[in-house]
mmCIF file of all heavy atoms in Angstrom:
data_model
loop_
_atom_site.group_PDB
_atom_site.id
_atom_site.type_symbol
_atom_site.label_atom_id
_atom_site.label_comp_id
_atom_site.label_asym_id
_atom_site.label_seq_id
_atom_site.Cartn_x
_atom_site.Cartn_y
_atom_site.Cartn_z
ATOM 1 N N PHE A 1 0.911 -1.143 -0.012
ATOM 2 C CA PHE A 1 0.081 -0.034 0.033
ATOM 3 C C PHE A 1 0.925 1.201 -0.007
ATOM 4 O O PHE A 1 1.717 1.401 0.952
ATOM 5 C CB PHE A 1 -0.796 -0.001 1.305
ATOM 6 C CG PHE A 1 -1.806 -1.305 1.380
ATOM 7 C CD1 PHE A 1 -1.286 -2.410 1.997
ATOM 8 C CD2 PHE A 1 -3.065 -1.197 0.915
ATOM 9 C CE1 PHE A 1 -2.200 -3.491 2.095
ATOM 10 C CE2 PHE A 1 -3.893 -2.245 0.885
ATOM 11 C CZ PHE A 1 -3.441 -3.539 1.574
ATOM 12 N N GLY A 2 0.772 2.027 -0.955
ATOM 13 C CA GLY A 2 1.814 3.159 -1.178
ATOM 14 C C GLY A 2 1.443 4.306 -2.008
ATOM 15 O O GLY A 2 0.242 4.269 -2.657
ATOM 16 N N TYR A 3 2.149 5.359 -1.867
ATOM 17 C CA TYR A 3 1.883 6.653 -2.598
ATOM 18 C C TYR A 3 3.263 7.019 -3.235
ATOM 19 O O TYR A 3 4.218 7.260 -2.388
ATOM 20 C CB TYR A 3 1.293 7.616 -1.683
ATOM 21 C CG TYR A 3 0.402 8.751 -2.381
ATOM 22 C CD1 TYR A 3 -0.816 8.633 -2.412
ATOM 23 C CD2 TYR A 3 1.052 9.849 -2.905
ATOM 24 C CE1 TYR A 3 -1.681 9.591 -3.100
ATOM 25 C CE2 TYR A 3 0.335 10.896 -3.470
ATOM 26 C CZ TYR A 3 -0.999 10.758 -3.580
ATOM 27 O OH TYR A 3 -1.761 11.683 -4.221
ATOM 28 N N PRO A 4 3.269 7.291 -4.469
ATOM 29 C CA PRO A 4 4.571 7.712 -5.094
ATOM 30 C C PRO A 4 4.989 9.136 -4.860
ATOM 31 O O PRO A 4 4.270 10.006 -4.499
ATOM 32 C CB PRO A 4 4.277 7.415 -6.574
ATOM 33 C CG PRO A 4 2.854 7.692 -6.673
ATOM 34 C CD PRO A 4 2.189 7.123 -5.494
ATOM 35 N N GLY A 5 6.266 9.356 -4.975
ATOM 36 C CA GLY A 5 6.824 10.682 -4.999
ATOM 37 C C GLY A 5 8.266 10.711 -5.635
ATOM 38 O O GLY A 5 8.745 9.498 -5.855
ATOM 39 N N GLY A 6 8.890 11.816 -5.600
ATOM 40 C CA GLY A 6 10.266 11.940 -6.216
ATOM 41 C C GLY A 6 11.218 10.975 -5.805
ATOM 42 O O GLY A 6 11.913 10.401 -6.607
ATOM 43 N N THR A 7 11.310 10.835 -4.444
ATOM 44 C CA THR A 7 12.477 9.907 -3.970
ATOM 45 C C THR A 7 12.198 8.443 -4.033
ATOM 46 O O THR A 7 13.126 7.673 -3.577
ATOM 47 C CB THR A 7 12.771 10.235 -2.467
ATOM 48 O OG1 THR A 7 11.707 10.043 -1.665
ATOM 49 C CG2 THR A 7 13.295 11.837 -2.368
ATOM 50 N N VAL A 8 11.044 7.954 -4.483
ATOM 51 C CA VAL A 8 10.777 6.574 -4.608
ATOM 52 C C VAL A 8 10.436 6.027 -6.039
ATOM 53 O O VAL A 8 9.903 5.056 -6.235
ATOM 54 C CB VAL A 8 9.736 6.168 -3.599
ATOM 55 C CG1 VAL A 8 10.079 6.141 -2.159
ATOM 56 C CG2 VAL A 8 8.494 6.967 -3.784
ATOM 57 N N LEU A 9 10.750 6.912 -6.983
ATOM 58 C CA LEU A 9 10.379 6.654 -8.325
ATOM 59 C C LEU A 9 11.086 5.417 -8.862
ATOM 60 O O LEU A 9 10.674 4.659 -9.783
ATOM 61 C CB LEU A 9 10.700 7.950 -9.268
ATOM 62 C CG LEU A 9 9.697 9.103 -9.080
ATOM 63 C CD1 LEU A 9 9.964 10.171 -9.946
ATOM 64 C CD2 LEU A 9 8.207 8.659 -9.118
ATOM 65 N N SER A 10 12.418 5.259 -8.372
ATOM 66 C CA SER A 10 13.101 3.990 -8.770
ATOM 67 C C SER A 10 12.221 2.728 -8.453
ATOM 68 O O SER A 10 12.267 1.705 -9.117
ATOM 69 C CB SER A 10 14.435 3.983 -8.163
ATOM 70 O OG SER A 10 15.280 5.064 -8.859
ATOM 71 N N ILE A 11 11.695 2.806 -7.192
ATOM 72 C CA ILE A 11 10.929 1.589 -6.713
ATOM 73 C C ILE A 11 9.702 1.506 -7.548
ATOM 74 O O ILE A 11 9.250 0.371 -7.918
ATOM 75 C CB ILE A 11 10.523 1.840 -5.203
ATOM 76 C CG1 ILE A 11 11.857 1.900 -4.422
ATOM 77 C CG2 ILE A 11 9.603 0.771 -4.774
ATOM 78 C CD1 ILE A 11 11.611 2.130 -2.848
ATOM 79 N N TYR A 12 8.997 2.565 -7.846
ATOM 80 C CA TYR A 12 7.717 2.546 -8.587
ATOM 81 C C TYR A 12 7.985 2.007 -10.054
ATOM 82 O O TYR A 12 7.319 1.391 -10.687
ATOM 83 C CB TYR A 12 6.991 3.899 -8.646
ATOM 84 C CG TYR A 12 6.166 3.929 -7.361
ATOM 85 C CD1 TYR A 12 6.686 4.410 -6.160
ATOM 86 C CD2 TYR A 12 4.788 3.474 -7.349
ATOM 87 C CE1 TYR A 12 5.928 4.591 -5.041
ATOM 88 C CE2 TYR A 12 4.050 3.493 -6.234
ATOM 89 C CZ TYR A 12 4.593 3.981 -5.158
ATOM 90 O OH TYR A 12 3.749 3.916 -3.910
ATOM 91 N N ASP A 13 9.225 2.478 -10.560
ATOM 92 C CA ASP A 13 9.670 1.973 -11.966
ATOM 93 C C ASP A 13 9.868 0.493 -11.882
ATOM 94 O O ASP A 13 9.348 -0.217 -12.850
ATOM 95 C CB ASP A 13 10.914 2.707 -12.313
ATOM 96 C CG ASP A 13 11.282 2.364 -13.914
ATOM 97 O OD1 ASP A 13 10.430 2.695 -14.707
ATOM 98 O OD2 ASP A 13 12.241 1.799 -14.055
ATOM 99 N N ALA A 14 10.527 -0.068 -10.861
ATOM 100 C CA ALA A 14 10.746 -1.525 -10.739
ATOM 101 C C ALA A 14 9.446 -2.220 -10.458
ATOM 102 O O ALA A 14 9.294 -3.394 -10.886
ATOM 103 C CB ALA A 14 11.695 -1.768 -9.667
ATOM 104 N N LEU A 15 8.419 -1.602 -9.828
ATOM 105 C CA LEU A 15 7.129 -2.281 -9.546
ATOM 106 C C LEU A 15 6.470 -2.646 -10.872
ATOM 107 O O LEU A 15 5.546 -3.654 -10.820
ATOM 108 C CB LEU A 15 6.260 -1.342 -8.752
ATOM 109 C CG LEU A 15 6.311 -1.431 -7.211
ATOM 110 C CD1 LEU A 15 5.568 -0.371 -6.579
ATOM 111 C CD2 LEU A 15 5.756 -2.831 -6.770
ATOM 112 N N LEU A 16 6.731 -1.969 -12.023
ATOM 113 C CA LEU A 16 6.074 -2.315 -13.218
ATOM 114 C C LEU A 16 6.305 -3.775 -13.592
ATOM 115 O O LEU A 16 5.557 -4.241 -14.345
ATOM 116 C CB LEU A 16 6.548 -1.291 -14.374
ATOM 117 C CG LEU A 16 6.116 0.163 -14.188
ATOM 118 C CD1 LEU A 16 6.725 1.004 -15.132
ATOM 119 C CD2 LEU A 16 4.610 0.180 -14.261
ATOM 120 N N HIS A 17 7.581 -4.163 -13.142
ATOM 121 C CA HIS A 17 7.893 -5.622 -13.530
ATOM 122 C C HIS A 17 7.845 -6.618 -12.502
ATOM 123 O O HIS A 17 8.472 -7.607 -12.459
ATOM 124 C CB HIS A 17 9.278 -5.577 -14.339
ATOM 125 C CG HIS A 17 9.389 -4.590 -15.337
ATOM 126 N ND1 HIS A 17 8.882 -4.767 -16.603
ATOM 127 C CD2 HIS A 17 10.086 -3.259 -15.291
ATOM 128 C CE1 HIS A 17 9.109 -3.695 -17.301
ATOM 129 N NE2 HIS A 17 9.768 -2.756 -16.543
ATOM 130 N N SER A 18 7.265 -6.215 -11.320
ATOM 131 C CA SER A 18 7.213 -7.116 -10.095
ATOM 132 C C SER A 18 5.857 -7.779 -9.982
ATOM 133 O O SER A 18 4.730 -7.177 -10.342
ATOM 134 C CB SER A 18 7.554 -6.133 -8.943
ATOM 135 O OG SER A 18 7.183 -6.972 -7.651
ATOM 136 N N PRO A 19 5.851 -8.937 -9.428
ATOM 137 C CA PRO A 19 4.513 -9.596 -9.066
ATOM 138 C C PRO A 19 3.782 -9.043 -7.985
ATOM 139 O O PRO A 19 2.522 -9.467 -7.812
ATOM 140 C CB PRO A 19 4.981 -10.994 -8.831
ATOM 141 C CG PRO A 19 6.336 -10.872 -8.366
ATOM 142 C CD PRO A 19 6.933 -9.752 -9.030
ATOM 143 N N ILE A 20 4.319 -8.035 -7.317
ATOM 144 C CA ILE A 20 3.761 -7.532 -6.168
ATOM 145 C C ILE A 20 2.649 -6.592 -6.587
ATOM 146 O O ILE A 20 2.754 -5.705 -7.470
ATOM 147 C CB ILE A 20 4.688 -6.815 -5.214
ATOM 148 C CG1 ILE A 20 5.688 -7.669 -4.614
ATOM 149 C CG2 ILE A 20 3.922 -6.059 -4.150
ATOM 150 C CD1 ILE A 20 6.786 -7.101 -3.835
ATOM 151 N N ARG A 21 1.475 -6.720 -5.993
ATOM 152 C CA ARG A 21 0.249 -5.849 -6.278
ATOM 153 C C ARG A 21 0.443 -4.478 -5.469
ATOM 154 O O ARG A 21 0.845 -4.552 -4.371
ATOM 155 C CB ARG A 21 -1.093 -6.513 -5.866
ATOM 156 C CG ARG A 21 -2.260 -5.652 -6.087
ATOM 157 C CD ARG A 21 -3.498 -6.279 -5.545
ATOM 158 N NE ARG A 21 -4.683 -5.525 -5.781
ATOM 159 C CZ ARG A 21 -5.883 -6.054 -5.322
ATOM 160 N NH1 ARG A 21 -5.951 -7.068 -4.428
ATOM 161 N NH2 ARG A 21 -6.987 -5.264 -5.496
ATOM 162 N N HIS A 22 0.147 -3.432 -6.125
ATOM 163 C CA HIS A 22 0.246 -2.112 -5.446
ATOM 164 C C HIS A 22 -1.145 -1.487 -5.343
ATOM 165 O O HIS A 22 -1.871 -1.475 -6.272
ATOM 166 C CB HIS A 22 1.200 -1.132 -6.241
ATOM 167 C CG HIS A 22 1.334 0.130 -5.546
ATOM 168 N ND1 HIS A 22 0.403 1.191 -5.746
ATOM 169 C CD2 HIS A 22 2.278 0.697 -4.735
ATOM 170 C CE1 HIS A 22 0.877 2.184 -5.024
ATOM 171 N NE2 HIS A 22 1.939 1.898 -4.408
ATOM 172 N N ILE A 23 -1.515 -1.045 -4.094
ATOM 173 C CA ILE A 23 -2.875 -0.386 -3.898
ATOM 174 C C ILE A 23 -2.551 1.155 -3.720
ATOM 175 O O ILE A 23 -1.650 1.418 -2.816
ATOM 176 C CB ILE A 23 -3.484 -0.940 -2.601
ATOM 177 C CG1 ILE A 23 -3.736 -2.452 -2.811
ATOM 178 C CG2 ILE A 23 -4.674 -0.207 -2.421
ATOM 179 C CD1 ILE A 23 -4.695 -2.886 -3.908
ATOM 180 N N LEU A 24 -3.089 1.917 -4.482
ATOM 181 C CA LEU A 24 -2.841 3.385 -4.411
ATOM 182 C C LEU A 24 -3.908 4.069 -3.662
ATOM 183 O O LEU A 24 -5.120 4.176 -4.177
ATOM 184 C CB LEU A 24 -2.844 4.024 -5.847
ATOM 185 C CG LEU A 24 -2.635 5.613 -5.921
ATOM 186 C CD1 LEU A 24 -1.292 5.963 -5.348
ATOM 187 C CD2 LEU A 24 -2.858 6.028 -7.348
ATOM 188 N N PRO A 25 -3.709 4.486 -2.371
ATOM 189 C CA PRO A 25 -4.760 5.218 -1.611
ATOM 190 C C PRO A 25 -4.734 6.687 -2.140
ATOM 191 O O PRO A 25 -3.859 7.059 -3.062
ATOM 192 C CB PRO A 25 -4.313 5.185 -0.207
ATOM 193 C CG PRO A 25 -2.770 5.019 -0.294
ATOM 194 C CD PRO A 25 -2.551 4.300 -1.591
ATOM 195 N N ARG A 26 -5.527 7.497 -1.342
ATOM 196 C CA ARG A 26 -5.401 8.965 -1.690
ATOM 197 C C ARG A 26 -4.748 9.833 -0.635
ATOM 198 O O ARG A 26 -4.588 11.078 -0.808
ATOM 199 C CB ARG A 26 -6.962 9.552 -1.840
ATOM 200 C CG ARG A 26 -7.739 8.863 -2.990
ATOM 201 C CD ARG A 26 -6.949 9.033 -4.222
ATOM 202 N NE ARG A 26 -7.745 8.503 -5.477
ATOM 203 C CZ ARG A 26 -7.659 7.236 -5.920
ATOM 204 N NH1 ARG A 26 -6.768 6.356 -5.461
ATOM 205 N NH2 ARG A 26 -8.467 6.917 -6.977
ATOM 206 N N HIS A 27 -4.078 9.168 0.253
ATOM 207 C CA HIS A 27 -3.355 9.788 1.331
ATOM 208 C C HIS A 27 -2.473 8.680 1.951
ATOM 209 O O HIS A 27 -2.837 7.592 2.124
ATOM 210 C CB HIS A 27 -4.269 10.380 2.380
ATOM 211 C CG HIS A 27 -3.566 11.372 3.300
ATOM 212 N ND1 HIS A 27 -2.755 10.997 4.378
ATOM 213 C CD2 HIS A 27 -3.738 12.679 3.442
ATOM 214 C CE1 HIS A 27 -2.284 12.071 4.926
ATOM 215 N NE2 HIS A 27 -2.935 13.082 4.476
ATOM 216 N N GLU A 28 -1.222 9.092 2.351
ATOM 217 C CA GLU A 28 -0.307 8.155 2.945
ATOM 218 C C GLU A 28 -0.801 7.568 4.289
ATOM 219 O O GLU A 28 -0.553 6.407 4.549
ATOM 220 C CB GLU A 28 1.144 8.784 3.168
ATOM 221 C CG GLU A 28 1.862 9.100 1.930
ATOM 222 C CD GLU A 28 1.663 10.562 1.403
ATOM 223 O OE1 GLU A 28 0.700 11.159 1.925
ATOM 224 O OE2 GLU A 28 2.326 10.832 0.424
ATOM 225 N N GLN A 29 -1.492 8.295 4.990
ATOM 226 C CA GLN A 29 -2.119 7.786 6.376
ATOM 227 C C GLN A 29 -3.053 6.660 5.905
ATOM 228 O O GLN A 29 -3.051 5.597 6.755
ATOM 229 C CB GLN A 29 -2.945 8.869 7.081
ATOM 230 C CG GLN A 29 -3.366 8.312 8.397
ATOM 231 C CD GLN A 29 -3.929 9.521 9.315
ATOM 232 O OE1 GLN A 29 -3.452 10.633 9.152
ATOM 233 N NE2 GLN A 29 -4.999 9.140 10.119
ATOM 234 N N ALA A 30 -3.786 6.687 4.908
ATOM 235 C CA ALA A 30 -4.612 5.538 4.536
ATOM 236 C C ALA A 30 -3.828 4.325 4.057
ATOM 237 O O ALA A 30 -4.199 3.233 4.460
ATOM 238 C CB ALA A 30 -5.507 5.981 3.411
ATOM 239 N N ALA A 31 -2.569 4.606 3.536
ATOM 240 C CA ALA A 31 -1.656 3.459 3.190
ATOM 241 C C ALA A 31 -1.345 2.683 4.332
ATOM 242 O O ALA A 31 -1.339 1.482 4.258
ATOM 243 C CB ALA A 31 -0.520 3.987 2.347
ATOM 244 N N VAL A 32 -0.860 3.341 5.388
ATOM 245 C CA VAL A 32 -0.379 2.753 6.534
ATOM 246 C C VAL A 32 -1.476 2.022 7.332
ATOM 247 O O VAL A 32 -1.382 0.877 7.808
ATOM 248 C CB VAL A 32 0.574 3.631 7.349
ATOM 249 C CG1 VAL A 32 -0.305 4.714 8.010
ATOM 250 C CG2 VAL A 32 1.252 2.966 8.516
ATOM 251 N N HIS A 33 -2.600 2.640 7.527
ATOM 252 C CA HIS A 33 -3.746 2.015 8.162
ATOM 253 C C HIS A 33 -4.242 0.785 7.361
ATOM 254 O O HIS A 33 -4.601 -0.265 7.908
ATOM 255 C CB HIS A 33 -4.883 3.042 8.240
ATOM 256 C CG HIS A 33 -4.687 4.082 9.355
ATOM 257 N ND1 HIS A 33 -3.970 3.848 10.419
ATOM 258 C CD2 HIS A 33 -5.233 5.288 9.364
ATOM 259 C CE1 HIS A 33 -4.062 4.938 11.103
ATOM 260 N NE2 HIS A 33 -4.647 5.806 10.577
ATOM 261 N N ALA A 34 -4.228 0.827 5.998
ATOM 262 C CA ALA A 34 -4.646 -0.230 5.197
ATOM 263 C C ALA A 34 -3.720 -1.462 5.424
ATOM 264 O O ALA A 34 -4.076 -2.583 5.521
ATOM 265 C CB ALA A 34 -4.761 0.157 3.724
ATOM 266 N N ALA A 35 -2.250 -1.143 5.361
ATOM 267 C CA ALA A 35 -1.349 -2.188 5.535
ATOM 268 C C ALA A 35 -1.552 -2.790 7.015
ATOM 269 O O ALA A 35 -1.260 -4.055 7.085
ATOM 270 C CB ALA A 35 -0.059 -1.608 5.416
ATOM 271 N N ASP A 36 -1.774 -2.124 7.895
ATOM 272 C CA ASP A 36 -2.095 -2.488 9.315
ATOM 273 C C ASP A 36 -3.161 -3.486 9.369
ATOM 274 O O ASP A 36 -3.132 -4.560 9.797
ATOM 275 C CB ASP A 36 -2.347 -1.218 10.169
ATOM 276 C CG ASP A 36 -2.737 -1.647 11.570
ATOM 277 O OD1 ASP A 36 -3.546 -2.580 11.869
ATOM 278 O OD2 ASP A 36 -2.245 -0.968 12.487
ATOM 279 N N ALA A 37 -4.334 -3.197 8.734
ATOM 280 C CA ALA A 37 -5.476 -4.040 8.682
ATOM 281 C C ALA A 37 -5.229 -5.308 7.840
ATOM 282 O O ALA A 37 -5.625 -6.359 8.291
ATOM 283 C CB ALA A 37 -6.777 -3.357 8.223
ATOM 284 N N TYR A 38 -4.472 -5.080 6.854
ATOM 285 C CA TYR A 38 -4.115 -6.213 6.034
ATOM 286 C C TYR A 38 -3.433 -7.362 6.998
ATOM 287 O O TYR A 38 -3.681 -8.467 6.939
ATOM 288 C CB TYR A 38 -3.282 -5.779 4.909
ATOM 289 C CG TYR A 38 -2.652 -7.056 4.039
ATOM 290 C CD1 TYR A 38 -3.485 -7.332 2.827
ATOM 291 C CD2 TYR A 38 -1.528 -7.649 4.241
ATOM 292 C CE1 TYR A 38 -3.077 -8.379 2.038
ATOM 293 C CE2 TYR A 38 -1.129 -8.666 3.385
ATOM 294 C CZ TYR A 38 -1.830 -9.049 2.310
ATOM 295 O OH TYR A 38 -1.456 -9.996 1.427
ATOM 296 N N ALA A 39 -2.405 -6.789 7.811
ATOM 297 C CA ALA A 39 -1.557 -7.665 8.586
ATOM 298 C C ALA A 39 -2.588 -8.246 9.761
ATOM 299 O O ALA A 39 -2.398 -9.497 10.067
ATOM 300 C CB ALA A 39 -0.549 -6.838 9.328
ATOM 301 N N ARG A 40 -3.473 -7.518 10.342
ATOM 302 C CA ARG A 40 -4.387 -8.043 11.235
ATOM 303 C C ARG A 40 -5.311 -9.145 10.819
ATOM 304 O O ARG A 40 -5.565 -10.142 11.416
ATOM 305 C CB ARG A 40 -5.353 -6.956 11.886
ATOM 306 C CG ARG A 40 -4.419 -5.895 12.479
ATOM 307 C CD ARG A 40 -5.460 -4.754 13.260
ATOM 308 N NE ARG A 40 -4.825 -3.579 13.497
ATOM 309 C CZ ARG A 40 -4.953 -2.904 14.616
ATOM 310 N NH1 ARG A 40 -5.689 -3.341 15.542
ATOM 311 N NH2 ARG A 40 -4.360 -1.736 14.853
ATOM 312 N N VAL A 41 -5.804 -9.013 9.593
ATOM 313 C CA VAL A 41 -6.729 -10.052 8.981
ATOM 314 C C VAL A 41 -5.912 -11.257 8.566
ATOM 315 O O VAL A 41 -6.333 -12.431 8.765
ATOM 316 C CB VAL A 41 -7.542 -9.428 7.789
ATOM 317 C CG1 VAL A 41 -8.360 -10.449 7.076
ATOM 318 C CG2 VAL A 41 -8.595 -8.354 8.411
ATOM 319 N N SER A 42 -4.838 -11.022 7.799
ATOM 320 C CA SER A 42 -4.078 -12.072 7.184
ATOM 321 C C SER A 42 -3.109 -12.800 8.182
ATOM 322 O O SER A 42 -2.704 -13.995 7.797
ATOM 323 C CB SER A 42 -3.300 -11.651 5.963
ATOM 324 O OG SER A 42 -2.147 -10.713 6.416
ATOM 325 N N GLY A 43 -2.574 -12.072 9.251
ATOM 326 C CA GLY A 43 -1.644 -12.782 10.066
ATOM 327 C C GLY A 43 -0.135 -12.545 9.489
ATOM 328 O O GLY A 43 0.703 -13.031 10.036
ATOM 329 N N GLU A 44 -0.074 -12.043 8.245
ATOM 330 C CA GLU A 44 1.126 -11.739 7.645
ATOM 331 C C GLU A 44 1.688 -10.175 8.019
ATOM 332 O O GLU A 44 0.899 -9.456 8.571
ATOM 333 C CB GLU A 44 0.981 -11.809 6.087
ATOM 334 C CG GLU A 44 0.539 -13.208 5.659
ATOM 335 C CD GLU A 44 0.235 -13.270 4.116
ATOM 336 O OE1 GLU A 44 0.189 -12.240 3.524
ATOM 337 O OE2 GLU A 44 -0.200 -14.344 3.688
ATOM 338 N N VAL A 45 2.865 -10.093 7.564
ATOM 339 C CA VAL A 45 3.438 -8.684 7.719
ATOM 340 C C VAL A 45 2.766 -7.635 6.687
ATOM 341 O O VAL A 45 2.916 -8.035 5.506
ATOM 342 C CB VAL A 45 4.953 -8.711 7.648
ATOM 343 C CG1 VAL A 45 5.586 -7.367 7.797
ATOM 344 C CG2 VAL A 45 5.523 -9.559 8.741
ATOM 345 N N GLY A 46 2.374 -6.618 7.221
ATOM 346 C CA GLY A 46 1.817 -5.588 6.188
ATOM 347 C C GLY A 46 2.967 -4.732 5.727
ATOM 348 O O GLY A 46 3.835 -4.424 6.560
ATOM 349 N N VAL A 47 2.853 -4.297 4.548
ATOM 350 C CA VAL A 47 3.819 -3.400 4.044
ATOM 351 C C VAL A 47 3.384 -2.084 3.365
ATOM 352 O O VAL A 47 2.308 -2.213 2.583
ATOM 353 C CB VAL A 47 4.700 -4.130 2.744
ATOM 354 C CG1 VAL A 47 5.693 -3.233 2.288
ATOM 355 C CG2 VAL A 47 5.243 -5.472 3.432
ATOM 356 N N CYS A 48 3.819 -1.000 3.638
ATOM 357 C CA CYS A 48 3.445 0.274 3.142
ATOM 358 C C CYS A 48 4.652 1.131 2.651
ATOM 359 O O CYS A 48 5.726 0.884 3.115
ATOM 360 C CB CYS A 48 2.558 1.079 4.029
ATOM 361 S SG CYS A 48 3.332 1.719 5.443
#
């Protein structure tokens, strides 16, 4: 769960060829809360 910006464009460019799904929220706070809930439901580590 993430939101792009100038200092992470290399990561976003590499994401084009990655099997990892990316969820684009409308605010970074939503990205971290969503990753948190993903972890709570799945039992896996959430990533934002």
Side-chain angles (χ1 to χ4, degrees):
F1 300 85
Y3 203 95
T7 62
V8 289
L9 290 184
S10 292
I11 296 174
Y12 275 89
D13 187 61
L15 268 170
L16 293 171
H17 309 289
S18 171
I20 296 175
R21 180 185 181 188
H22 183 275
I23 303 293
L24 176 67
R26 299 304 185 264
H27 194 287
E28 289 92 354
Q29 182 170 327
V32 66
H33 286 327
D36 174 316
Y38 180 92
R40 297 187 198 221
V41 170
S42 67
E44 301 171 0
V45 177
V47 181
C48 65

